[in-house]
């Protein structure tokens, strides 16, 4: 791993712990794709699948496309179509993918966090996660 990835993974580990999560990812934008920069407690086969995520695919790609958080109360039973089959391999239930913007307002990345147990995240929790996700280090 390079220095940027190490710094981002350390930030992600702290952010997940601070919010009671069990797993998470950081993707950074590269054109119309999101490229995985850091992953915590994501199974290796899932890491391979999400290494590059196109706009509109999976939770990270949908957060990029919609420019809004994409959440599920249970990765394993979600029937919205927002959760890709590979995400069910993550040992977690509730999850959210949050778009992160640069100074010009463009999406620079997507930060994801997953939790044990089902839960619905209300607007205040999503707002807090979104605000704190802005601190993710740039690649």
């Amino acid at each position: 791993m390079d220095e940027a990835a190490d710094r981002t993974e350390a930030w992600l580990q702290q952010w997940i712990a601070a919010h009671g999560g069990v797993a998470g990812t950081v993707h950074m934008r590269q054109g119309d794709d999101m490229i995985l920069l850091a992953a915590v407690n994501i199974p290796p086969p899932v890491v391979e699948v999400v290494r590059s995520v196109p706009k509109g695919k999976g939770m990270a790609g949908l957060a990029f496309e919609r420019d809004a958080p994409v959440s599920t109360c249970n990765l394993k039973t979600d029937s919205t179509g927002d959760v890709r089959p590979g995400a069910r391999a993550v040992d977690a239930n509730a999850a959210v993918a949050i778009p992160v913007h640069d100074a010009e307002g463009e999406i620079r990345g997507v930060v994801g966090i997953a939790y044990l147990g089902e839960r619905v995240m209300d607007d205040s929790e999503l707002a807090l996660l979104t605000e704190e996700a802005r601190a993710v280090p740039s690649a």
Side-chain angles (χ1 to χ4, degrees):
M1 246 193 249
D2 63 19
E3 187 178 322
D6 288 344
R7 187 173 61 250
T8 302
E9 186 173 309
W11 175 88
L12 181 60
Q13 288 174 337
Q14 292 174 344
W15 189 71
I16 291 168
H19 292 285
V22 295
T25 57
V26 173
H27 284 84
M28 287 297 165
R29 182 177 181 178
Q30 192 172 78
D32 278 343
D33 294 328
M34 287 288 159
I35 306 302
L36 186 67
L37 184 60
V40 173
N41 294 330
I42 304 296
V46 177
V47 168
E48 288 308 311
V49 170
V50 302
R51 197 166 295 285
S52 178
V53 177
K55 191 174 197 176
K57 184 176 178 187
M59 292 179 70
L62 288 169
F64 179 21
E65 179 179 68
R66 297 174 185 171
D67 195 7
V70 173
S71 64
T72 180
C73 65
N74 192 327
L75 287 167
K76 299 189 186 319
T77 62
D78 185 272
S79 60
T80 64
D82 289 354
V83 177
R84 304 298 295 172
R88 291 176 174 80
V90 176
D91 192 18
N93 301 105
V96 62
I98 302 162
V100 178
H101 300 87
D102 62 19
E104 290 78 39
E106 295 293 317
I107 294 177
R108 68 180 177 99
V110 174
V111 175
I113 185 170
Y115 302 89
L116 285 180
E118 290 187 16
R119 66 194 271 180
V120 175
M121 287 166 254
D122 63 24
D123 290 343
S124 63
E125 183 176 13
L126 285 174
L128 175 64
L129 290 169
T130 299
E131 178 65 31
E132 290 187 4
R134 292 180 186 161
V136 66
S138 295

